[in-house]
Amino acid sequence: MQGFAGFMWLLSVALILFSGFALIDAAVRREDAYRAADKQSKAFWLIILGLAFVVNLIFNILSFLPIIGLIATIVYMVDVRPALRGLSGGGRTRRGGSSSDGPYGPYNGGR
């Protein structure tokens, strides 16, 4: 039983860190990026993710409310965050390019 309790504690800490990261990420994004990505407003996501973070701090992981907070955090991370990063150029760029890139761009084999 002690092993299960330790596992649930680790899962709870991971959930708190996950929702905290999403909250911080939502806070540092620009307000106009939310409108340009056709997503809910920045204030909406800050409220939802802030509530999810607080609920994860207060309630046990086996309660109903942390599960709702987890769903909201996952929606932000897989839908809203990539859209915002795509607008702001937050994606990773490769340095050096492809192996078929020439000095003026990609080499297409004379086509």
Side-chain angles (χ1 to χ4, degrees):
M1 211 51 189
Q2 188 177 8
F4 180 73
F7 173 74
M8 293 306 288
W9 181 81
L10 286 175
L11 193 60
S12 178
V13 169
L15 191 58
I16 290 169
L17 291 174
F18 184 57
S19 61
F21 173 78
L23 178 62
I24 291 169
D25 185 73
V28 299
R29 302 289 175 183
R30 294 176 33 180
E31 170 67 36
D32 57 343
Y34 288 88
R35 288 189 305 265
D38 198 26
K39 303 296 177 189
Q40 293 289 334
S41 69
K42 181 177 182 174
F44 172 83
W45 282 109
L46 288 176
I47 290 169
I48 295 295
L49 294 172
L51 286 173
F53 181 73
V54 170
V55 163
N56 288 329
L57 284 174
I58 295 173
F59 292 100
N60 187 0
I61 186 100
L62 296 176
S63 301
F64 186 69
L65 290 175
I67 303 302
I68 294 173
L70 176 63
I71 292 170
T73 304
I74 290 173
V75 167
Y76 175 81
M77 292 298 285
V78 301
D79 183 40
V80 178
R81 185 172 186 252
L84 297 175
R85 288 183 70 192
L87 288 174
S88 65
R92 293 199 166 114
T93 58
R94 282 184 48 182
R95 301 212 185 254
S98 173
S99 62
S100 65
D101 283 355
Y104 304 110
Y107 177 71
N108 62 6
R111 288 180 255 160

